[in-house]
């Protein structure tokens, strides 16, 4: 997976390409942590060039939301456990306000929908509309 990063004010846009899976999901978590350290208040993850997302991708997106909410996500297998314990929307974690998903391909949208995780995020047709929706 490749990650390209750019900024629009205090909103960071991370564009992913390739496959997001167990072999590389920590790169996305690390990129989000770095952006938060550098002042990111919100983030758009552009998934338009993603060709595959496994369950580790779900953990990565959940972890990014936690990071933006100021909560250090659990690592390794504990990250999967934390993901399994969420219930539709995580009280107190304002993912929809601080983390937007853009250009979600059907293969990824299906994973988000079937797991119920689509409810955690705003989905936008492109990065520009996602950035514009940040409050």
């Amino acid at each position: 997976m490749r990650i390209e990063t750019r900024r629009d004010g205090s909103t960071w846009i991370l564009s992913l390409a390739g496959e997001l899976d167990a072999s590389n999901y920590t790169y996305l978590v690390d990129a989000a942590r770095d952006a938060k350290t550098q002042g990111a208040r919100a983030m758009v993850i552009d998934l338009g060039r993603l060709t595959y997302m496994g369950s580790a991708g779900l953990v990565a997106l959940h972890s990014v939301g936690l990071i933006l909410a100021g909560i250090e996500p659990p690592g390794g297998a504990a990250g999967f456990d934390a993901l399994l314990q969420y219930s539709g929307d995580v009280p107190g974690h304002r993912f929809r306000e601080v983390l937007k998903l853009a250009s979600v391909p059907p293969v990824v949208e299906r994973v988000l929908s079937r797991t119920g995780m689509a409810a955690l995020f705003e989905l936008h047709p492109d990065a520009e509309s996602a950035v514009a929706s940040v409050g």
Side-chain angles (χ1 to χ4, degrees), residues 1-5 13-21 24-25 27-29 31-32 43-53 57 60-61 64 101-103 105 108:
M1 176 187 63
R2 290 185 320 277
I3 303 173
E4 296 174 6
T5 305
I13 301 101
L14 302 180
S15 299
L16 310 183
E19 297 184 352
L20 176 55
D21 58 24
N24 58 26
Y25 79 100
Y27 299 140
L28 177 56
V29 175
M43 192 168 296
V44 170
I45 300 181
D46 186 336
L47 304 171
R49 295 181 298 149
L50 211 59
T51 57
Y52 171 81
M53 185 174 81
L61 294 176
V64 170
L101 303 182
S103 307
V108 174

Side-chain angles (χ1 to χ4, degrees), residues 51-131:
T51 57
Y52 171 81
M53 185 174 81
S55 59
L58 297 173
V59 171
L61 294 176
H62 186 255
S63 296
V64 170
L66 290 174
I67 288 167
L68 289 169
I71 300 165
E72 183 59 29
F80 285 95
D81 291 341
L83 179 62
L84 293 173
Q85 292 175 15
Y86 98 94
S87 59
D89 199 351
V90 181
H93 303 170
R94 303 164 308 154
F95 290 177
R96 295 177 66 82
E97 295 176 23
V98 296
L99 179 56
K100 317 290 181 161
L101 303 182
S103 307
V104 182
V107 66
V108 174
E109 189 168 6
R110 185 171 45 249
V111 171
L112 291 169
S113 295
R114 287 185 178 172
T115 59
M117 287 207 45
L120 288 176
F121 311 103
E122 279 187 16
L123 307 181
H124 293 269
D126 52 53
E128 291 76 20
S129 64
V131 169

